[in-house]
Amino acid sequence: MELAELQRSLRKTYYQRDSKRGRDATFRHLAEEVGELAKALRTNDPENLRHEFADVLAWVVSLANLTGVDVDELAQRYAVGCPKCGAAPCACPFGP
């Protein structure tokens, strides 16, 4: 599934509910899912990792829908490598 298709699907499925919930509450749901992903990373359970990554992706896209942001357009920032140095793999120095 392409990002644009995912965004359309999530908009059709959740936009009305997300609009009622609002941006702030939708963002809080995203933050909760990121926490669940952190737990999944610690346990390293492949099935749970897939589930939590999918949930985080869905909440990011839902939030993008609420703010009118095209995720397919956003992905272009990383299409040719690091957006800072332009290299792939990234050649930026590690910071503090």
Side-chain angles (χ1 to χ4, degrees):
M1 173 180 276
E2 299 288 328
L3 283 175
E5 184 181 355
L6 174 64
Q7 188 164 17
R8 283 190 300 273
S9 176
L10 291 174
R11 183 176 191 76
K12 178 181 175 184
T13 305
Y14 297 113
Y15 187 80
Q16 187 175 22
R17 174 182 271 178
D18 291 338
S19 292
K20 289 179 185 176
R21 180 184 303 114
R23 289 179 183 184
D24 289 341
T26 300
F27 179 79
R28 287 191 300 274
H29 278 277
L30 168 60
E32 182 178 321
E33 289 299 335
V34 170
E36 291 177 12
L37 176 58
K39 289 177 187 175
L41 287 165
R42 285 192 297 275
T43 63
N44 204 29
D45 173 2
E47 185 176 332
N48 194 31
L49 280 168
R50 285 190 296 275
H51 175 93
E52 297 305 338
F53 271 113
D55 286 353
V56 167
L57 178 60
W59 283 104
V60 166
V61 174
S62 287
L63 195 55
N65 277 333
L66 285 178
T67 58
V69 172
D70 180 340
V71 294
D72 201 46
E73 181 182 309
L74 297 180
Q76 296 308 309
R77 180 169 189 224
Y78 292 90
V80 295
C82 175
K84 288 185 180 181
C85 69
C90 174
C92 293
F94 282 102

